[in-house]
């Protein structure tokens, strides 16, 4: 569990605190082989005041890896 003292301030509302949690996401991406459908779990920061969601480079890397894995399965 994360330490509340490590929570960062929200960039949008400036009054809330962003805490990290894992969230399931599903998405599709059009490619030269048709649509690639992906599901994965990414770390997302959520503001406790305004509810805005933030993700970082780690989440982007997870999404890219999920996409590549599913893309390679297509014939």
């Amino acid at each position: 569990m994360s330490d509340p003292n490590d929570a960062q301030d929200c960039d949008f509302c400036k009054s809330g605190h962003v805490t990290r949690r894992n969230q399931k996401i599903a998405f599709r991406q059009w490619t030269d082989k048709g649509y690639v459908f992906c599901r994965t779990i990414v770390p997302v920061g959520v503001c406790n005041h305004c509810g805005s969601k933030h993700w970082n480079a780690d989440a982007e890397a997870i999404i890219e890896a999920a996409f590549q894995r599913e893309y390679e399965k297509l014939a």
Side-chain angles (χ1 to χ4, degrees):
M1 187 174 202
S2 63
D3 183 359
N5 295 326
D6 290 339
Q8 68 183 45
D9 292 335
C10 179
D11 292 332
F12 295 109
C13 72
K14 306 292 187 205
S15 59
H17 297 288
V18 176
T19 55
R20 299 269 174 223
R21 65 179 178 210
N22 290 331
Q23 183 171 347
K24 294 179 186 178
I25 64 166
F27 62 95
R28 67 180 183 168
Q29 175 71 44
W30 179 255
T31 71
D32 58 333
K33 296 180 180 180
Y35 278 108
V36 174
F37 296 90
C38 302
R39 290 183 185 193
T40 192
I41 298 174
V42 295
V44 175
V46 180
C47 175
N48 67 347
H49 183 260
C50 70
S52 67
K53 295 181 180 180
H54 312 256
W55 70 32
N56 59 16
D58 294 337
E60 287 290 335
I62 292 168
I63 290 168
E64 182 63 30
F67 170 79
Q68 287 298 324
R69 191 170 46 248
E70 295 303 317
Y71 180 80
E72 290 171 3
K73 290 180 184 179
L74 296 177

